[in-house]
Structure formats: C-alpha cells, structure tokens
Amino acid sequence: MDIRVSGHQVNTGEALQTHVETRLGSIAEKYFAKALSSHATFGRAPHDGFTSDIVMHVMQGLVLKGRGEAQDAHVAFDRAAERIEKQLRRYMRRLQDRHVQTAYAIAQEEAAYTVFDAGDSEEEVPLPDAPVIVAEMRVDIPESTVSDAVMLMDLRNTPALLFKNTGTGRHNMVYRREDGTIGWVEPKSTP
C-alpha cells in the first residue's frame, strides 16, 4: 500500500512517519489485504495543538476519511486512525451480516458536472440572489438499498449521497440532518 505523510506548517519527522506507516499498514492488513493508498496530513490546530487528517483509498469506490485533534501529533493521528478503523469495522460487520462481498452493486450510473463560464463581468452584473456556478465534478451513482446508502455515506464521510434504489429502480438521496439523524428523499411515484 502506498502511504504518504505530509505536513502543513508542521515538520513530520522520521519517528512520526514511521508511526503512521506502521499503524496504517496494520489497519490495512487487518481488514483489506490489497488496500490502494493512504495519505496522512498534519497541521496546526488552535491553542498550539495538532490536527491529523487521513484519507484512505481501500478499494475502487471506497474512500474513508478520519480526523483527529490533540496537543500531540502522535495522539492526533491515533484519534484519526481510530475513526478509520471504526468505520472499517462497521463496514466489515455489515458485509458479514448480509453475506455480501461488495459494498455496492456492480451496476452504477454516472453523473457529471462541468465548469460554467461566469460571463464577462463588464457586460453583465450577476444578481445577488443568483450565485455563480463554479464547478461540477463527475461521480458514480451507486445502486444500493437505503441502509447500504447510509453506510456508504458514512464511509465516504459526506453529508449527503445520491443513489439508485435497488428496490424501486429510482434515484433517491440520503442526508445527515442537523440533529444527527438520517433523512431519506424518495421521489413521488406517478400513477
């Protein structure tokens, strides 16, 4: 597995890099024999503390993110690694409970978005109520059940996930509400 360690305004010494490589390597070996890559980034936190962000590409389409904060860089990294390990443990438990080998169905659709030109600022003045669309990105829309979509949303560490419901064949969305509960949007069926 490819493991990268970087720091923003933080010097990552050899001891910290060795600690990161050892811990991420053991997590990957425990859950996935062929994890693709990991990137641990260290930065400064308020009150002379440290932050640690981990992005782990476990397999195609499965990206885990963890964040930790502490007064020591090693402790901040350990907290982020614990979050990654907890996500992987939940993921593996759900796979074993359902006797499923993959987290999402093979059939996926693609959705894309494109960068739009804001136009010449001399010719047109945009309305304050109409924000400029800056960019779009290409993403895969997984085909899954609602509970699997919630699991994917947690694993990807995103606030919302658009998916194709395997039960209805229609596009649905799950999202995390401000109170911590999960919301589910399903289109109204036409008679």
Side-chain angles (χ1 to χ4, degrees):
M1 175 172 71
D2 178 35
I3 299 174
R4 290 182 290 153
V5 180
S6 60
H8 293 285
Q9 300 175 353
V10 173
N11 184 11
T12 58
E14 192 173 321
L16 183 60
Q17 290 181 8
T18 304
H19 179 67
V20 169
E21 290 172 3
T22 304
R23 180 79 189 266
L24 291 180
S26 67
I27 290 172
E29 286 177 20
K30 185 175 181 180
Y31 294 102
F32 288 96
K34 296 182 180 179
L36 301 175
S37 67
S38 290
H39 187 187
T41 307
F42 294 90
R44 286 283 181 197
H47 310 294
D48 293 328
F50 293 93
T51 62
S52 176
D53 293 299
I54 302 172
V55 177
M56 182 180 273
H57 298 270
V58 179
M59 58 190 225
Q60 187 68 29
L62 181 59
V63 178
L64 304 175
K65 296 178 183 178
R67 182 177 179 85
E69 193 171 312
Q71 293 298 317
D72 181 54
H74 290 268
V75 176
F77 169 75
D78 287 336
R79 288 180 181 168
E82 285 171 9
R83 289 191 173 113
I84 294 283
E85 196 163 10
K86 184 176 181 181
Q87 291 173 357
L88 280 171
R89 210 174 21 253
R90 285 181 181 166
Y91 174 72
M92 295 305 288
R93 189 178 312 128
R94 288 188 87 164
L95 287 181
Q96 290 171 355
D97 289 346
R98 294 170 186 240
H99 304 303
V100 177
Q101 297 301 318
T102 59
Y104 56 94
I106 295 172
Q108 291 185 354
E109 293 183 24
E110 281 190 5
Y113 67 161
T114 320
V115 175
F116 291 99
D117 185 12
D120 279 343
S121 59
E122 296 172 4
E123 295 176 12
E124 262 181 62
V125 176
L127 299 173
D129 293 337
V132 177
I133 298 173
V134 177
E136 294 181 351
M137 58 187 229
R138 185 169 295 275
V139 296
D140 292 328
I141 299 176
E143 185 172 323
S144 68
T145 63
V146 177
S147 61
D148 285 345
V150 171
M151 178 181 65
L152 283 173
M153 182 180 70
D154 286 340
L155 289 173
R156 292 179 181 181
N157 198 20
T158 59
L161 178 72
L162 177 69
F163 68 100
K164 188 170 182 179
N165 192 329
T166 55
T168 62
R170 301 178 70 172
H171 288 91
N172 291 190
M173 184 178 78
V174 290
Y175 63 97
R176 186 165 308 282
R177 298 166 45 117
E178 287 184 23
D179 61 359
T181 60
I182 302 294
W184 172 24
V185 178
E186 184 173 28
K188 191 180 216 181
S189 56
T190 56

